[in-house]
Amino acid sequence: MKKFFSVILLALLAFGALVGCAGRTYEIALVTDVGNIDDKSFNEGAWTGVKNYAEANDISYDYFRPAEDSQAARVETIEAAIDKGAKIVVCPGYLFETAIFEVQADYPDVAFLILDGEPNNGDFSNDGANLVYETADNVHCVLYQEEQAGFLAGYAAVQEGFRSLGFIGGMAVPAVIRYGYGYVQGAEKAAVDLGLATGAVTMKYYYVGAFEGSDALETKMDGWYAAGVEVIFSCGGKLYTSVVAAAANTTAGKVIGVDVDQQAESDRIITSAMKALTLSVEESLEAFFDNEKAWPATLAGKTRTMGAVENGIGLPTAAASWRLTNFTVTEYNALFADLVDGDIVVSASTAAEPTVTKIVVDYDA
């Protein structure tokens, strides 16, 4: 009999625990894109910002992951976060543009922070003539000058001594294109500054069409390294897993990471072209909560673009992350200052490939 009541008690305790968990609410919610909060890239950078701010200010927080990669799943997950009490929903990535466009008017008392995108209807028909952008007052958007981060990475690679470069992008979306075209411009600038002969620096350039690694991508990267490519800028989500795996199959193949400092993932990663994802989330959340849980007028319905001037992009300069031996941190800081001062201007255009005269880029690699 005692055993019977013990089992019943344990069952009731377990049920109570489940009910307690089910009833928990969270003021700050992050909804991931196709990745997860441990992707060592975009989601994780944003999640770290949420976590840092929430824990420093004793605010409840959690993350929610869509069941699949679809508009319906993203909307459903955003609504699930709101049902859990979210006062603000952080949405990392351009995939949320159409989802926020759909829900922003339905939840005027909920704030949304979208990184790398602006709400729009996603209608690219008729050569984009039907595309409508609309950012409600309960939404704040943050964009980054990826072209500057890519520029720094390309410049550093050539100054380091690499002459055969590669660029792998996830999808040909604006942020990825800006990274890639900035990388091209940086390599070109370094070749000019070093007085290299035309064609002394070459680059293979390719968009995968996905943000996940694969056996097929690793095989392609094996081919690039075998053909003489020395360093590859891996730009997008978990693509780096395949690029790093291919680099590890070589004697000296190197990789450049993206979005966050990825040096801990492999000793083959020599630097990373970063966005200040964590900082931008922390600053946005601070502005929201300091204004009584509403966007201040300077942010409500507006887009903030972060570049070198705002310390919104860069390469990591900590000793553990700086794996360049010829190009120094001092030289990097001088280059960064030129971006801040406007002495160097990197084109953000995605309409056409950058004009180069020194390096040779194979866009069909």
Side-chain angles (χ1 to χ4, degrees):
M1 181 64 72
K2 288 182 178 179
K3 183 177 181 180
F4 171 78
F5 282 113
S6 296
V7 171
I8 293 297
L9 178 60
L10 287 172
L12 289 171
L13 288 172
F15 177 75
L18 288 173
V19 170
C21 290
R24 291 191 64 183
T25 60
Y26 308 92
E27 285 197 84
I28 305 174
L30 179 140
V31 178
T32 66
D33 62 7
V34 293
N36 207 349
I37 57 169
D38 60 352
D39 64 358
K40 310 301 179 186
S41 189
F42 207 89
N43 286 294
E44 186 165 345
W47 174 244
T48 300
V50 169
K51 188 172 184 291
N52 289 351
Y53 180 81
E55 293 185 354
N57 293 277
D58 195 26
I59 298 172
S60 58
Y61 68 101
D62 202 359
Y63 76 95
F64 298 77
R65 187 179 185 185
E68 61 182 23
D69 178 15
S70 70
Q71 165 83 358
R74 278 183 278 277
V75 169
E76 181 181 3
T77 307
I78 289 170
E79 291 177 336
I82 294 170
D83 287 343
K84 281 291 187 178
K87 300 295 187 292
I88 181 169
V89 181
V90 180
C91 301
Y94 76 96
L95 290 173
F96 287 97
E97 290 182 323
T98 52
I100 298 302
F101 185 85
E102 180 177 335
V103 304
Q104 59 187 351
D106 294 336
Y107 300 97
D109 296 327
V110 177
F112 299 95
L113 172 63
I114 179 170
L115 310 177
D116 246 8
E118 297 172 297
N120 63 75
N121 65 351
D123 186 353
F124 291 91
S125 63
N126 196 22
D127 293 327
N130 298 325
L131 186 63
V132 176
Y133 281 89
E134 182 180 344
T135 303
D137 286 343
N138 59 331
V139 179
H140 177 55
C141 310
V142 180
L143 301 179
Y144 308 88
Q145 291 183 265
E146 294 92 356
E147 70 280 0
Q148 292 184 342
F151 174 90
L152 293 170
Y155 191 93
V158 174
Q159 285 284 350
E160 180 68 7
F162 297 113
R163 297 294 178 263
S164 183
L165 283 56
F167 174 83
I168 288 291
M171 294 182 183
V173 295
V176 176
I177 297 172
R178 286 194 294 268
Y179 265 132
Y181 285 2
Y183 187 59
V184 171
Q185 293 174 72
E188 170 77 5
K189 171 66 172 169
V192 170
D193 287 355
L194 290 170
L196 300 180
T198 299
V201 175
T202 60
M203 183 185 298
K204 292 182 181 294
Y205 197 107
Y206 178 71
Y207 296 111
V208 179
F211 289 107
E212 294 289 336
S214 65
D215 291 341
L217 178 58
E218 182 178 343
T219 299
K220 186 176 183 69
M221 296 301 93
D222 283 337
W224 278 21
Y225 284 121
V229 172
E230 299 164 293
V231 59
I232 298 172
F233 180 13
S234 172
C235 183
K238 290 239 176 187
L239 295 183
Y240 76 89
T241 58
S242 294
V243 182
V244 164
N249 294 332
T250 71
T251 301
K254 303 299 184 184
V255 180
I256 294 172
V258 75
D259 288 339
V260 298
D261 182 3
Q262 294 183 319
Q263 61 84 19
E265 300 309 300
S266 171
D267 59 6
R268 297 302 182 106
I269 296 178
I270 57 172
T271 190
S272 300
M274 303 189 306
K275 302 176 184 179
L277 296 165
T278 298
L279 175 66
S280 58
V281 171
E282 291 173 349
E283 290 182 346
S284 297
L285 290 175
E286 181 178 24
F288 173 78
F289 281 97
D290 283 355
N291 194 51
E292 299 183 350
K293 300 179 185 178
W295 292 122
T298 54
L299 302 183
K302 295 180 173 59
T303 297
R304 179 189 186 193
T305 300
M306 298 182 68
V309 171
E310 298 80 13
N311 204 29
I313 56 89
L315 305 183
T317 56
S321 302
W322 194 265
R323 291 171 175 166
L324 304 169
T325 56
N326 298 323
F327 185 57
T328 67
V329 172
T330 299
E331 291 171 323
Y332 164 77
N333 287 336
L335 181 69
F336 191 89
D338 285 342
L339 285 176
V340 173
D341 295 340
D343 295 332
I344 294 176
V345 177
V346 185
S347 172
S349 174
T350 60
E353 299 157 358
T355 300
V356 294
T357 59
K358 282 289 186 180
I359 72 172
V360 177
V361 184
D362 179 3
Y363 288 99
D364 297 314

